[in-house]
């Protein structure tokens, strides 16, 4: 890790310490145990794909490090309903506070407004966050290979699976893809945005897609703005 990603992860670890001091991991495990049953993120994507449609994951994001404030009048529930009406298969909700102005409550509110499965979009570094994700209603979590070692990624994935959640494994280069394919989840993401520089390049998906076999669902992430972008990523092998 280097640059932006390293700073984000360091700040995230400090944030997790604060969260643990407010709500212990045992309390969070209890909350997770009483949370709603996961809706099936992977199944929702497969349903769309089997119908010959794009499995669109629509993101609810207030701000980002590269673009700053994206939406001043931010209403997660309303956005979720609009995305569902527009044909999204799933939602992705940013919960990171320092860099994306996210909040756990945004995910809960979005999920309650629709019947779509929801991904918790955050920098998952500690088992505490997995239980927390389940407790706030997440149906799927994100594991970023650039931020995790293999043992750590395996541990976080195993806990998420035991809690009934799906896992999106995010990659950006060949080495990360090779490591991601060693994990259990069939959901593989290729992030066209370099988390260390924030540069976006759709050719990243085109260069890595052939490493993913038909036993996996390939997702192209970031930099998709138009129907032509969708067609281009689909032609590369993304679902």
């Amino acid at each position: 890790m280097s640059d932006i990603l390293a700073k984000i992860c360091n700040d995230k670890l400090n944030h997790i310490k604060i969260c643990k001091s407010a709500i212990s991991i045992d309390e969070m495990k209890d909350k997770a145990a009483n949370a709603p049953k996961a809706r099936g993120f992977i199944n929702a994507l497969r349903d769309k794909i089997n119908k010959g449609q794009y499995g669109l994951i629509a993101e609810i994001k207030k701000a980002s490090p590269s673009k700053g404030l994206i939406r001043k009048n931010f209403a997660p529930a309303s956005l979720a309903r609009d995305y569902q009406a527009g044909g999204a298969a799933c939602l992705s909700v940013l919960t990171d506070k320092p860099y994306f102005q996210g909040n756990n409550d945004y995910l809960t509110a979005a999920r309650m407004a629709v019947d779509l499965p929801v991904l918790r979009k955050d920098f998952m570094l500690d088992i505490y966050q997995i239980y927390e994700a389940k407790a706030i209603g997440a149906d799927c979590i994100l594991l970023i290979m650039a931020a995790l070692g293999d043992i750590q990624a395996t541990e976080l994935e195993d806990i998420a699976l035991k809690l009934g959640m799906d896992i999106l494994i995010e990659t950006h280069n060949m080495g990360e893809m090779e490591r991601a394919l060693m994990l259990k989840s069939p959901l593989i993401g290729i992030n066209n945005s370099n988390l260390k520089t924030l540069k976006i390049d759709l050719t990243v998906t085109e260069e890595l897609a052939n490493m993913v076999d038909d036993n996996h669902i390939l997702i192209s992430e970031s930099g998709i703005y138009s129907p032509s972008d969708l067609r281009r990523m689909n032609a590369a092998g993304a679902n």
Side-chain angles (χ1 to χ4, degrees):
M1 289 192 299
S2 65
D3 307 324
I4 299 164
L5 180 60
K7 187 176 189 315
I8 289 174
C9 288
N10 185 62
D11 290 342
K12 177 60 61 176
L13 290 171
N14 290 328
H15 177 73
I16 294 167
K17 289 179 182 178
I18 295 170
C19 292
K20 286 180 177 178
S21 65
I23 301 176
S24 72
I25 189 167
D26 288 336
E27 290 179 88
M28 195 58 74
K29 286 180 179 180
D30 288 340
K31 289 178 180 289
N34 293 311
K37 182 180 178 182
R39 289 175 175 168
F41 197 90
I42 291 174
N43 287 340
L45 293 175
R46 282 186 173 140
D47 284 346
K48 289 283 190 180
I49 295 165
N50 290 337
K51 293 175 183 176
Q53 301 172 0
Y54 295 125
L56 288 172
I57 303 170
E59 190 148 274
I60 294 176
K61 177 165 62 176
K62 186 175 183 179
S64 75
S66 60
K67 294 184 180 297
L69 183 65
I70 295 170
R71 194 178 186 93
K72 184 178 181 180
N73 299 318
F74 188 69
S78 177
L79 290 169
R81 286 189 290 266
D82 287 345
Y83 278 145
Q84 179 167 265
C90 303
L91 300 179
S92 167
V93 181
L94 264 293
T95 59
D96 175 76
K97 289 184 179 181
Y99 293 89
F100 292 87
Q101 297 185 35
N103 193 295
N104 290 346
D105 292 341
Y106 294 162
L107 187 148
T108 304
R111 191 181 191 275
M112 288 178 65
V114 295
D115 56 13
L116 300 180
V118 181
L119 166 77
R120 182 187 186 184
K121 185 79 172 287
D122 211 317
F123 299 87
M124 309 298 278
L125 306 172
D126 189 286
I127 61 172
Y128 181 91
Q129 294 171 284
I130 309 302
Y131 291 105
E132 183 183 48
K134 179 64 176 175
I136 64 176
D139 304 291
C140 184
I141 62 160
L142 178 72
L143 295 183
I144 302 171
M145 295 311 293
L148 298 167
D150 292 338
I151 294 174
Q152 190 179 18
T154 299
E155 181 184 29
L156 297 179
E157 180 186 50
D158 286 346
I159 293 171
L161 290 172
K162 288 176 183 176
L163 292 173
M165 292 186 289
D166 290 322
I167 302 99
L168 170 56
I169 313 294
E170 180 175 297
T171 68
H172 183 73
N173 57 45
M174 187 178 295
E176 290 171 13
M177 179 65 77
E178 289 173 347
R179 295 169 54 224
L181 294 172
M182 299 287 286
L183 295 167
K184 297 171 184 174
S185 176
L187 205 55
I188 301 293
I190 299 175
N191 194 345
N192 300 306
S193 176
N194 187 327
L195 291 177
K196 298 174 183 178
T197 65
L198 301 182
K199 179 184 177 182
I200 294 176
D201 184 358
L202 293 182
T203 62
V204 176
T205 291
E206 293 169 330
E207 291 170 353
L208 298 179
N210 62 2
M211 296 179 68
V212 182
D213 61 30
D214 292 338
N215 294 319
H216 292 83
I217 295 176
L218 178 61
I219 296 173
S220 181
E221 309 170 23
S222 301
I224 299 169
Y225 298 105
S226 66
S228 62
D229 290 335
L230 285 173
R231 289 191 292 271
R232 178 179 171 185
M233 293 299 92
N234 188 237
N239 303 115

